[in-house]
Amino acid sequence: QRMILLRAFVGGKGYTDEEAGEVTGLAKKPRCCYWKRLSELRAEGLIAPTGDYAKSSASELQRICRLTPKGEEYLRSLDN
């Protein structure tokens, strides 16, 4: 789940947690805690908040995150 989510951010795409869950399809999987995996990716410095926010489906503001240079480097190391 973490790699699926991390790869979704490639190309400079920024997503809220909810958007990342939707674009990867993980939000539709039963018992999938994709938001926890996103929290782990933030804690490791692989994705980081941009300072921008977007409304969730519940009209709550969610931060938008993007892949960090550390995240890009990590993905490159997996591809080698």
Side-chain angles (χ1 to χ4, degrees), residues 14-48:
Y15 295 116
T16 64
D17 285 7
E18 183 176 69
E19 290 169 337
E22 289 295 324
V23 300
T24 60
L26 292 174
K28 294 181 181 176
K29 289 191 171 201
R31 298 185 185 149
C32 176
C33 300
Y34 67 89
W35 60 91
K36 288 182 183 178
R37 306 296 81 85
L38 289 161
S39 180
E40 293 167 357
L41 293 173
R42 276 189 292 275
E44 291 180 33
L46 301 177
I47 62 172

Side-chain angles (χ1 to χ4, degrees), residues 1 8 43 56-57 68-69:
Q1 291 175 10
S56 70
S57 60
T68 64

